Amino acid sequence: MATSEQDPLLLLRNSIALDTPCIPTTTEDASAASSVDLSLATATFLQFPSASVSIPLTTPTRFISSNKPVDLRSIYFAWLKRETAIPEYNASALTLNAELAAEDGAGGEVQNLAFVERLDLITWLEGASEESEYIKPLAGDVSSAAASAQVAAGVKGGLVPVTSVGGRQGKSIDPRLAEIYNGERRMGDRNSVLRGIKPTDFSHVRKLAAPFNTRKTAHAAAANAASTAPLSHNPKAPVRRPDPIILLSPSASSLLRMSNIKSFLESGIYIPPESSTSTSSSSASILHIARLLPSIDTTRPIRFIIVDTPEQFKPEYWSRVVAVFTTGQVWQFKSYKWQTPQELFRHTLGVYLGWRGDQLPDMVKGWGRGVLSAQVDKWSAGAGPASRWRDREVVEGIWKAVEENMRNRGWKRDSGPLVV
């Protein structure tokens, strides 16, 4: 794993990008058909046809969970189960561990990744993100960055040997040209250029600066006390803009569920959840859609996360909830941070979707202006998609309300909400 050519995570990511399935095998050489074993319980190697490389499934990767590397078998298992719900994923992991421990099993066990870790891993493998807080950088990247920092600081000369991809040393430099290079002035940063013939004690400067620092600290404290502007929920500067979250109702009577919400919000066409033409699996626990919101970011579409339960939420996730689809049943909010509808819809947008012509429930009316009411035409199995032309208008109205709510809460091009 010293080089990117042999790194299991990069090999798996490249195979996914090239749409080339990996093959679990029982031997390193998978030329014989008898060595191919698609069961992770008995396989010992994972072959990457795109790179003609086989890696042992017990190989530790750069993905860190609970302060230890996760092996390739656990990583590949998490990728295979990316579309399954959390309980099904946990049950499958227990079943696989039992098969691994059996007499004809390969031994070892798969590590059960947490919801946030699995989401971060799948996002990186799909290529939707170029960085991950759980993946360590390659050793070559770290050494190159350290060498560049030493050159910039003047610790080493400005000439860095150039090597080819295979690690072979480049062509040697002419001795006369090397002498000229060695005579050049070496550039440094503001720390390295402050050097002289003897060390100088500047401790007296601290005493002179102490009164100014005291006044500056007192002024900053007074300004913070007088300010009434709400503070961000996260004192650290975000590395990147967080993905906003849309919550659905898990009720069986809801017109929008995990199986048809993606086609509704992306294509602007309503399809019943139980229809065979639904675009998503009803067992999916998480979905992603992208939408361009010009008033927040004019160039990059914003990626939304859609879930129907907050059971895996961290406390800070609630500030990222931008819309809650509801059927008017208050039991939906029992596991929420804000359990009463009036309080919930002061912090986020509520959306109620019903059939056109039906009366809005009195309970939803009593929840105030924080709930957007929308209606679609009743479904007719014999009518074609052309008859659903009014659905697009309803969807655009919902997106307009979501965009306005996000803008009012402080969502910007490179940052999340300022108001919780």
Side-chain angles (χ1 to χ4, degrees):
M1 296 200 310
T3 62
S4 61
E5 291 84 354
Q6 296 292 330
D7 181 67
L9 289 179
L10 290 180
L11 288 172
L12 180 57
R13 190 184 191 193
N14 292 337
S15 297
I16 294 170
L18 296 174
D19 197 17
T20 306
C22 304
I23 304 174
T25 62
T26 55
T27 60
E28 186 174 3
D29 184 9
S31 57
S34 60
S35 64
V36 176
D37 190 347
L38 299 181
S39 173
L40 286 179
T42 54
T44 55
F45 289 85
L46 188 64
Q47 185 189 32
F48 300 92
S50 59
S52 300
V53 174
S54 293
I55 303 292
L57 285 169
T58 56
T59 303
T61 67
R62 294 182 290 116
F63 193 91
I64 305 300
S65 175
S66 302
N67 297 323
K68 65 178 183 179
V70 180
D71 63 351
L72 180 57
R73 192 191 307 271
S74 302
I75 295 294
Y76 187 59
F77 175 75
W79 168 252
L80 293 178
K81 299 296 181 181
R82 62 190 180 279
E83 295 292 343
T84 60
I86 296 171
E88 184 179 350
Y89 168 74
N90 295 334
S92 300
L94 291 175
T95 303
L96 180 55
N97 283 333
E99 294 174 353
L100 287 168
E103 183 177 353
D104 57 345
E109 63 179 8
V110 294
Q111 184 170 345
N112 196 347
L113 300 181
F115 172 76
V116 179
E117 296 173 340
R118 188 158 63 110
L119 174 62
D120 192 86
L121 172 64
I122 293 171
T123 302
W124 186 84
L125 289 175
E126 288 177 338
S129 174
E130 294 299 328
E131 56 187 16
S132 170
E133 60 179 301
Y134 300 100
I135 299 178
K136 283 187 175 182
L138 287 169
D141 296 340
V142 175
S143 60
S144 297
S148 300
Q150 289 179 333
V151 170
V155 177
K156 292 186 177 180
L159 293 178
V160 180
V162 179
T163 60
S164 63
V165 176
R168 295 171 297 179
Q169 186 68 29
K171 184 172 62 176
S172 60
I173 303 176
D174 185 275
R176 291 173 296 177
L177 186 59
E179 184 178 356
I180 295 175
Y181 283 161
N182 291 332
E184 290 183 348
R185 177 186 175 186
R186 297 177 181 177
M187 303 300 293
D189 58 10
R190 61 181 182 179
N191 296 319
S192 61
V193 298
L194 293 176
R195 55 182 180 269
I197 59 175
K198 62 180 180 179
T200 305
D201 182 14
F202 291 99
S203 60
H204 66 283
V205 179
R206 293 184 179 180
K207 297 180 181 179
L208 297 176
F212 298 96
N213 292 334
T214 303
R215 279 183 285 175
K216 183 178 179 180
T217 304
H219 178 73
N224 291 335
S227 175
T228 59
L231 296 177
S232 171
H233 70 281
N234 188 358
K236 297 181 180 179
V239 177
R240 58 185 176 91
R241 180 183 61 203
D243 295 335
I245 300 174
I246 296 176
L247 268 172
L248 299 184
S249 171
S251 173
S253 62
S254 177
L255 298 185
L256 292 174
R257 280 181 270 170
M258 296 295 285
S259 58
N260 66 340
I261 184 65
K262 191 167 185 177
S263 63
F264 183 68
L265 293 180
E266 283 188 340
S267 306
I269 298 177
Y270 176 80
I271 301 174
E274 63 278 1
S275 174
S276 60
T277 57
S278 297
T279 57
S280 302
S281 172
S282 59
S283 62
S285 61
I286 186 170
L287 295 173
H288 299 95
I289 62 173
R291 173 81 179 191
L292 184 66
L293 303 181
S295 64
I296 298 176
D297 194 336
T298 58
T299 58
R300 297 178 303 169
I302 299 176
R303 194 178 77 149
F304 290 80
I305 297 175
I306 302 178
V307 293
D308 61 356
T309 174
E311 63 180 7
Q312 297 294 333
F313 272 25
K314 291 183 178 180
E316 61 267 23
Y317 286 8
W318 284 103
S319 64
R320 295 162 50 185
V321 177
V322 296
V324 175
F325 283 80
T326 180
T327 58
Q329 298 165 302
V330 294
W331 60 262
Q332 174 186 349
F333 315 127
K334 285 187 177 181
S335 59
Y336 286 17
K337 177 182 179 180
W338 305 287
Q339 298 182 356
T340 62
Q342 292 78 8
E343 184 180 8
L344 172 65
F345 298 126
R346 281 199 300 265
H347 294 87
T348 188
L349 173 70
V351 181
Y352 173 84
L353 185 72
W355 295 123
R356 194 179 304 278
D358 289 357
Q359 190 174 5
L360 183 68
D362 294 336
M363 181 173 293
V364 177
K365 289 181 181 178
W367 291 348
R369 294 183 300 173
V371 180
L372 171 68
S373 175
Q375 294 181 329
V376 294
D377 295 330
K378 292 186 177 181
W379 174 258
S380 176
S387 64
R388 309 296 307 181
W389 58 272
R390 290 205 289 187
D391 294 348
R392 170 64 69 178
E393 181 181 358
V394 175
V395 172
E396 292 300 325
I398 294 175
W399 277 120
K400 182 178 180 181
V402 171
E403 182 176 3
E404 182 179 358
N405 176 60
M406 292 177 63
R407 186 175 64 250
N408 292 338
R409 294 175 61 201
W411 285 83
K412 294 184 179 180
R413 184 176 184 274
D414 296 315
S415 62
L418 298 176
V419 180
V420 180

